[in-house]
Amino acid sequence: MIRVVAEAGSTNDLMADWARAGAGEGDWLVARRQTGGRGRDGRVWAGLDGNLFASGLVRLGRGDPPAQTLALVAGVAVAETVATWLPAGRSAMLKWPNDLLVDGAKLAGILIERAGDAAIVGIGINLAAAPEGAISLAALGGKVPDAASAAETLAGRFGAALGRWRAGGVARIASEWAACAHPVGAPLVVRRGTESVQGAFAGLTEGGALRLLCDGGEIVIHAGDVALR
């Protein structure tokens, strides 16, 4: 079920409240206006009019793959969704761990948070407008759906990817994610606090972490800000 509200501070926060009140898996919340959106590490997610601000609910079961790999599920769903709207000749690329880029500029972002046995999957897509340094579907000349119809497409893609995640495990969804992402060998810079590490993308671990090939050998990155060099 997709519920649309006129305004929310954060769709993730409101969906977390609904999860604690008994909302079920597959429920989605869409806010036509978001006043307190955030990205990873507490960054602000700009609430520009006409964009998609949505959060979905996953009830985690004992036999499910690791919850952190839901970021791969969401990434695949967002990439598949946006591909249906991009103009001919344009393509989008996933950047680990949670961004969708076009020509190096952010088009969409993902934020996954826990609420008890639930995972709240927050997704923002710049449909009509974008803050400085980012890009919107409208600026690309793509088809710009309204938020409700965009959420319907996204929810369907996410539900299908979630089913594949449960049936095929992390390896299957990681393979799908890789097909939409920066290629193996792509030069990356990873910032962790005050530290920066440069290397080449070497794929993902079984748990969905980033493998980075550096001069001293391969290291595994579980969290950090990644930029393409």
Side-chain angles (χ1 to χ4, degrees):
M1 178 173 64
I2 299 174
R3 290 185 271 188
V4 180
V5 299
E7 182 175 300
S10 159
T11 59
N12 266 25
D13 288 347
L14 185 52
M15 178 57 85
D17 290 342
W18 289 359
R20 287 185 282 267
E25 179 167 295
D27 281 355
W28 283 82
L29 163 68
V30 176
R32 297 199 179 278
R33 184 168 183 265
Q34 184 174 240
T35 59
R38 62 182 181 274
R40 293 176 61 249
D41 300 325
R43 294 182 180 87
V44 173
W45 183 269
L48 302 179
D49 289 347
N51 289 343
L52 178 65
F53 317 110
S55 294
L57 175 61
V58 176
R59 290 288 180 187
L60 298 166
R62 185 167 297 179
D64 283 344
Q68 66 267 24
T69 60
L70 282 171
L72 305 180
V73 177
V76 168
V78 171
E80 291 179 346
T81 297
V82 167
T84 66
W85 303 325
L86 287 172
R90 303 307 294 265
S91 60
M93 180 185 70
L94 289 168
K95 178 174 70 70
W96 191 91
N98 66 337
D99 292 336
L100 185 72
L101 310 179
V102 174
D103 297 335
K106 183 184 288 192
L107 179 64
I110 298 161
L111 178 65
I112 298 180
E113 298 176 305
R114 291 291 297 270
D117 72 339
I120 311 301
V121 181
I123 295 173
I125 302 177
N126 296 328
L127 299 175
E132 184 177 356
I135 200 164
S136 70
L137 193 63
L140 291 167
K143 176 184 178 182
V144 182
D146 63 59
S149 60
E152 186 174 350
T153 302
L154 176 62
R157 295 285 188 174
F158 183 85
L162 186 68
R164 298 194 299 273
W165 175 76
R166 285 188 166 129
V170 178
R172 177 173 178 176
I173 205 68
S175 176
E176 295 182 19
W177 182 93
C180 303
H182 39 67
V184 169
L188 304 177
V189 178
V190 181
R191 296 180 179 85
R192 298 181 293 182
T194 58
E195 177 189 25
S196 291
V197 182
Q198 296 186 17
F201 178 56
L204 303 177
T205 68
E206 291 183 357
L210 177 74
R211 295 166 52 209
L212 191 69
L213 184 61
C214 305
D215 290 341
E218 185 178 294
I219 62 174
V220 175
I221 306 292
H222 294 280
D225 291 324
V226 175
L228 292 163
R229 287 194 288 127

